[in-house]
Amino acid sequence: MKRISVIGTGYVGLVTGAGLSDFGNNVICTDIDEDKINQLLASDIPIYEPGLKELVDRNVSAGRLSFSTDISASVKNSEVVIIAVWTPMGDNGEADLTAVKSVAKMIGENLNGYKVICTKSTVPIGTGKKIKQIIEKTSGGSNEFDVVSNPEFLREGSAVKDFLLPNRIVIGSESEKAQKVMKQVYRPLFINETPIVSTNVVTAETIKYASNAFLAVKISYINELANLCDTTGADVHIVARGMGLDGRISPKFLHPGPGFGGSCFPKDTHALVQMAAEKEVEMQVVSAAISSNSIQWQKITKKLDILFADSLEGRTVAVLGLTFKANTDDVRQSPATPIINHILENNGHVKAYDPEGIDNMKMLFPDIDYCDTHEEAVNGADGVIVMTEWHEFRGMDLKKVAELMNGNIIVDARNILDPKELKRNGFIFDNVGRPNVK
Ligand code: UGA
């Protein structure tokens, strides 16, 4: 088992550190953010991620996982250094590598013997090479290290499960020694016969963007099909099932909705297009998915406008779900944001509820009316819009919702409510691509 330091305790870094310690490695998770490290030392997890607290607590108790702000010392003590700092979207759609570069510099300055330097952050294709150059320079020409690209494929909301039971592990490195070290890091998975793709750095970096962009394309495709179904009378869910049963297509990521959000797909699709453009390659398919996604929320507001006969003025709309997907507290690039803006711009009143995302949404919309329960949000509302597929909303008592509301309009932007139930309870409603069930 290996001595590992993970730099960056965002959701990728923290899940990676906790997961690798669960595999038996000795892991120090580090960050420059003292508050975050103090929180973690106090056994308080800064993000909402199901199962993460249990995973962290278990491994801290076993003495395999610790936290520190002393990044230099932990680098010196480690055989493997994992870079998991953030790479936000820059002004032109490219990934901003400032944090990655400064970490690489610091690793070079603390190199004291052979180490594997592994990137988990989603970095532009070619970054591994740059990291290598920076470390060579700042370490005074040392070649006592190898650079590895080991992209992460975990999803917020199911990150722990995705980490412990991955579909595949991608290890990109030209060095056989580094490939061997990484296989030891993932030993339990290796023994379990999890497929391992061993390749070079640039191919591994490409696999990460290729995977995220492919899934984004798939979502935009089903969203456009749903928009078509809205006009033809076909049911998009049965279309998706009929397509997905073909093993070449697969039913996954064929759920239509208000458009993809979060910290990954919007950023990574833009970065891929930007990177390709720099090499004079056009990524027309990915560009189309971005453009389609940028207007998908408008299909939802159009439905709301139609049901409100084009006048939201003075109307109260309960927005159920603020996060970009269920089981997270993350509201970055959440489709709920343009929806709320639309209601406010049309002089409507918003009552917002989310099981986990309210604190984060308050930073974007400090002045809307936040509620503690979905019942409180729908109470007195003229309409309801379901923006996130939380189980709580799937299981809502629609009879009670109807009694509490002032009006009877519902837009289900995630297709999680039963249209027959909605009809039975007297709602006037719309969803995404299921016109034949109204
Ligand atoms: C995504 C990828 O799925 C992960 O494999 C990857 O590791 C991660 O990005 C990353 O690069 O870090 P994540 O953004 O957490 O994970 O969430 P997803 O479950 O992929 O959902 C992304 C967006 O697509 C959400 O807004 C979701 O609501 C939407 N979506 C997803 C749909 O609209 N329909 C679907 O069928 C699936």
Short mmCIF file of all heavy atoms in Angstrom, two decimals, residues 66-99:
data_model
loop_
_atom_site.label_atom_id
_atom_site.label_comp_id
_atom_site.label_asym_id
_atom_site.label_seq_id
_atom_site.Cartn_x
_atom_site.Cartn_y
_atom_site.Cartn_z
N SER A 66 -5.79 11.32 7.00
CA SER A 66 -5.62 12.51 7.84
C SER A 66 -5.70 13.75 6.97
O SER A 66 -5.74 13.67 5.74
CB SER A 66 -4.29 12.43 8.59
OG SER A 66 -3.25 12.30 7.66
N PHE A 67 -5.74 14.91 7.63
CA PHE A 67 -5.91 16.19 6.92
C PHE A 67 -4.84 17.17 7.37
O PHE A 67 -4.48 17.19 8.55
CB PHE A 67 -7.30 16.76 7.20
CG PHE A 67 -8.40 15.81 6.82
CD1 PHE A 67 -9.02 15.02 7.78
CD2 PHE A 67 -8.77 15.66 5.50
CE1 PHE A 67 -10.01 14.11 7.43
CE2 PHE A 67 -9.75 14.76 5.13
CZ PHE A 67 -10.38 13.98 6.10
N SER A 68 -4.39 18.00 6.43
CA SER A 68 -3.33 18.94 6.79
C SER A 68 -3.31 20.14 5.84
O SER A 68 -3.69 20.02 4.68
CB SER A 68 -1.99 18.21 6.74
OG SER A 68 -0.93 19.12 6.86
N THR A 69 -2.83 21.27 6.35
CA THR A 69 -2.59 22.41 5.46
C THR A 69 -1.11 22.48 5.07
O THR A 69 -0.73 23.30 4.25
CB THR A 69 -2.96 23.75 6.15
OG1 THR A 69 -2.36 23.76 7.44
CG2 THR A 69 -4.46 23.94 6.26
N ASP A 70 -0.32 21.60 5.67
CA ASP A 70 1.12 21.61 5.36
C ASP A 70 1.37 20.76 4.12
O ASP A 70 1.75 19.59 4.19
CB ASP A 70 1.90 21.09 6.58
CG ASP A 70 3.39 21.35 6.42
OD1 ASP A 70 3.82 21.69 5.28
OD2 ASP A 70 4.12 21.23 7.42
N ILE A 71 1.15 21.40 2.98
CA ILE A 71 1.22 20.64 1.71
C ILE A 71 2.68 20.19 1.45
O ILE A 71 2.91 19.05 1.04
CB ILE A 71 0.67 21.49 0.54
CG1 ILE A 71 -0.74 22.00 0.90
CG2 ILE A 71 0.63 20.67 -0.75
CD1 ILE A 71 -1.42 22.81 -0.17
N SER A 72 3.64 21.07 1.73
CA SER A 72 5.05 20.71 1.46
C SER A 72 5.44 19.45 2.22
O SER A 72 6.02 18.52 1.65
CB SER A 72 5.98 21.85 1.88
OG SER A 72 5.56 23.04 1.29
N ALA A 73 5.12 19.42 3.51
CA ALA A 73 5.51 18.25 4.32
C ALA A 73 4.84 16.99 3.81
O ALA A 73 5.47 15.93 3.72
CB ALA A 73 5.15 18.49 5.79
N SER A 74 3.57 17.12 3.43
CA SER A 74 2.88 15.89 3.00
C SER A 74 3.41 15.43 1.63
O SER A 74 3.49 14.22 1.38
CB SER A 74 1.36 16.07 3.01
OG SER A 74 0.97 16.91 1.99
N VAL A 75 3.82 16.37 0.78
CA VAL A 75 4.43 15.96 -0.50
C VAL A 75 5.73 15.20 -0.21
O VAL A 75 5.99 14.13 -0.77
CB VAL A 75 4.69 17.20 -1.40
CG1 VAL A 75 5.60 16.85 -2.57
CG2 VAL A 75 3.37 17.78 -1.92
N LYS A 76 6.52 15.77 0.68
CA LYS A 76 7.82 15.13 1.00
C LYS A 76 7.62 13.70 1.52
O LYS A 76 8.42 12.82 1.24
CB LYS A 76 8.57 15.97 2.04
CG LYS A 76 9.22 17.20 1.44
CD LYS A 76 10.09 17.90 2.45
CE LYS A 76 10.71 19.14 1.83
NZ LYS A 76 10.58 20.32 2.67
N ASN A 77 6.55 13.51 2.27
CA ASN A 77 6.28 12.21 2.90
C ASN A 77 5.64 11.19 1.98
O ASN A 77 5.39 10.06 2.40
CB ASN A 77 5.28 12.42 4.04
CG ASN A 77 6.02 12.57 5.33
OD1 ASN A 77 7.01 11.88 5.54
ND2 ASN A 77 5.58 13.49 6.17
N SER A 78 5.29 11.59 0.76
CA SER A 78 4.46 10.71 -0.08
C SER A 78 5.20 10.07 -1.24
O SER A 78 6.16 10.63 -1.76
CB SER A 78 3.29 11.50 -0.65
OG SER A 78 2.54 12.03 0.40
N GLU A 79 4.70 8.89 -1.60
CA GLU A 79 5.23 8.23 -2.81
C GLU A 79 4.40 8.64 -4.03
O GLU A 79 4.87 8.63 -5.16
CB GLU A 79 5.12 6.70 -2.65
CG GLU A 79 5.90 6.15 -1.47
CD GLU A 79 5.42 4.75 -1.09
OE1 GLU A 79 4.41 4.63 -0.34
OE2 GLU A 79 6.04 3.79 -1.56
N VAL A 80 3.13 8.97 -3.77
CA VAL A 80 2.22 9.38 -4.85
C VAL A 80 1.59 10.71 -4.45
O VAL A 80 1.09 10.84 -3.33
CB VAL A 80 1.11 8.33 -5.07
CG1 VAL A 80 0.14 8.78 -6.16
CG2 VAL A 80 1.70 6.97 -5.42
N VAL A 81 1.63 11.69 -5.35
CA VAL A 81 0.99 12.99 -5.08
C VAL A 81 -0.13 13.18 -6.09
O VAL A 81 0.11 13.11 -7.31
CB VAL A 81 2.01 14.15 -5.20
CG1 VAL A 81 1.32 15.48 -4.90
CG2 VAL A 81 3.19 13.94 -4.27
N ILE A 82 -1.34 13.36 -5.58
CA ILE A 82 -2.49 13.49 -6.48
C ILE A 82 -2.93 14.95 -6.53
O ILE A 82 -3.20 15.57 -5.50
CB ILE A 82 -3.64 12.59 -6.01
CG1 ILE A 82 -3.20 11.12 -6.15
CG2 ILE A 82 -4.91 12.84 -6.82
CD1 ILE A 82 -4.21 10.10 -5.74
N ILE A 83 -2.99 15.49 -7.74
CA ILE A 83 -3.43 16.89 -7.91
C ILE A 83 -4.95 16.87 -8.17
O ILE A 83 -5.42 16.31 -9.15
CB ILE A 83 -2.70 17.56 -9.09
CG1 ILE A 83 -1.18 17.50 -8.89
CG2 ILE A 83 -3.15 19.01 -9.25
CD1 ILE A 83 -0.36 18.03 -10.07
N ALA A 84 -5.68 17.46 -7.23
CA ALA A 84 -7.15 17.48 -7.38
C ALA A 84 -7.69 18.88 -7.10
O ALA A 84 -8.72 19.03 -6.46
CB ALA A 84 -7.78 16.45 -6.43
N VAL A 85 -6.95 19.88 -7.57
CA VAL A 85 -7.42 21.26 -7.37
C VAL A 85 -8.39 21.64 -8.48
O VAL A 85 -8.46 20.97 -9.51
CB VAL A 85 -6.24 22.25 -7.33
CG1 VAL A 85 -5.39 22.01 -6.09
CG2 VAL A 85 -5.38 22.16 -8.59
N TRP A 86 -9.09 22.73 -8.31
CA TRP A 86 -10.12 23.08 -9.29
C TRP A 86 -9.52 23.70 -10.55
O TRP A 86 -8.44 24.29 -10.54
CB TRP A 86 -11.19 23.98 -8.66
CG TRP A 86 -10.76 25.41 -8.41
CD1 TRP A 86 -9.51 25.86 -8.08
CD2 TRP A 86 -11.60 26.56 -8.48
NE1 TRP A 86 -9.53 27.21 -7.92
CE2 TRP A 86 -10.79 27.68 -8.16
CE3 TRP A 86 -12.95 26.76 -8.75
CZ2 TRP A 86 -11.31 28.98 -8.13
CZ3 TRP A 86 -13.45 28.06 -8.72
CH2 TRP A 86 -12.62 29.13 -8.42
N THR A 87 -10.23 23.53 -11.66
CA THR A 87 -9.82 24.12 -12.95
C THR A 87 -11.05 24.85 -13.51
O THR A 87 -11.73 24.33 -14.39
CB THR A 87 -9.38 23.01 -13.93
OG1 THR A 87 -10.40 22.02 -13.99
CG2 THR A 87 -8.07 22.38 -13.53
N PRO A 88 -11.35 26.03 -12.98
CA PRO A 88 -12.58 26.72 -13.41
C PRO A 88 -12.52 27.14 -14.88
O PRO A 88 -11.45 27.11 -15.50
CB PRO A 88 -12.61 27.96 -12.51
CG PRO A 88 -11.20 28.18 -12.08
CD PRO A 88 -10.55 26.84 -12.05
N MET A 89 -13.69 27.52 -15.42
CA MET A 89 -13.74 27.93 -16.83
C MET A 89 -13.18 29.35 -16.96
O MET A 89 -13.62 30.27 -16.25
CB MET A 89 -15.18 27.86 -17.33
CG MET A 89 -15.32 28.19 -18.81
SD MET A 89 -16.69 27.32 -19.58
CE MET A 89 -18.11 28.01 -18.84
N GLY A 90 -12.21 29.54 -17.85
CA GLY A 90 -11.66 30.87 -18.10
C GLY A 90 -12.57 31.69 -19.00
O GLY A 90 -13.64 31.22 -19.42
N ASP A 91 -12.14 32.91 -19.32
CA ASP A 91 -13.00 33.83 -20.07
C ASP A 91 -13.39 33.32 -21.45
O ASP A 91 -14.48 33.59 -21.94
CB ASP A 91 -12.29 35.19 -20.23
CG ASP A 91 -12.12 35.85 -18.87
OD1 ASP A 91 -12.87 35.48 -17.95
OD2 ASP A 91 -11.22 36.71 -18.74
N ASN A 92 -12.50 32.56 -22.10
CA ASN A 92 -12.81 32.10 -23.46
C ASN A 92 -13.29 30.65 -23.51
O ASN A 92 -13.23 30.01 -24.56
CB ASN A 92 -11.57 32.24 -24.36
CG ASN A 92 -11.14 33.68 -24.41
OD1 ASN A 92 -11.97 34.58 -24.49
ND2 ASN A 92 -9.82 33.90 -24.34
N GLY A 93 -13.71 30.11 -22.38
CA GLY A 93 -14.20 28.73 -22.38
C GLY A 93 -13.11 27.73 -22.05
O GLY A 93 -13.36 26.55 -21.85
N GLU A 94 -11.86 28.21 -22.00
CA GLU A 94 -10.75 27.28 -21.72
C GLU A 94 -10.68 27.03 -20.20
O GLU A 94 -11.21 27.80 -19.42
CB GLU A 94 -9.43 27.86 -22.25
CG GLU A 94 -8.71 28.87 -21.36
CD GLU A 94 -9.42 30.22 -21.20
OE1 GLU A 94 -10.48 30.44 -21.82
OE2 GLU A 94 -8.92 31.04 -20.42
N ALA A 95 -10.02 25.92 -19.80
CA ALA A 95 -9.88 25.65 -18.36
C ALA A 95 -8.76 26.51 -17.79
O ALA A 95 -7.69 26.62 -18.39
CB ALA A 95 -9.60 24.17 -18.15
N ASP A 96 -8.99 27.10 -16.64
CA ASP A 96 -8.00 27.96 -15.99
C ASP A 96 -7.06 27.08 -15.16
O ASP A 96 -7.48 26.42 -14.20
CB ASP A 96 -8.76 28.96 -15.10
CG ASP A 96 -7.83 29.89 -14.35
OD1 ASP A 96 -6.61 29.62 -14.32
OD2 ASP A 96 -8.32 30.90 -13.81
N LEU A 97 -5.78 27.08 -15.54
CA LEU A 97 -4.82 26.15 -14.92
C LEU A 97 -3.96 26.78 -13.81
O LEU A 97 -2.97 26.17 -13.39
CB LEU A 97 -3.89 25.61 -16.01
CG LEU A 97 -4.52 24.54 -16.90
CD1 LEU A 97 -3.51 24.06 -17.92
CD2 LEU A 97 -5.01 23.36 -16.07
N THR A 98 -4.35 27.97 -13.37
CA THR A 98 -3.52 28.67 -12.38
C THR A 98 -3.21 27.78 -11.16
O THR A 98 -2.05 27.65 -10.75
CB THR A 98 -4.25 29.95 -11.90
OG1 THR A 98 -4.74 30.61 -13.05
CG2 THR A 98 -3.34 30.86 -11.11
N ALA A 99 -4.26 27.16 -10.60
CA ALA A 99 -4.05 26.36 -9.38
C ALA A 99 -3.18 25.14 -9.68
O ALA A 99 -2.28 24.81 -8.90
CB ALA A 99 -5.40 25.94 -8.81
#
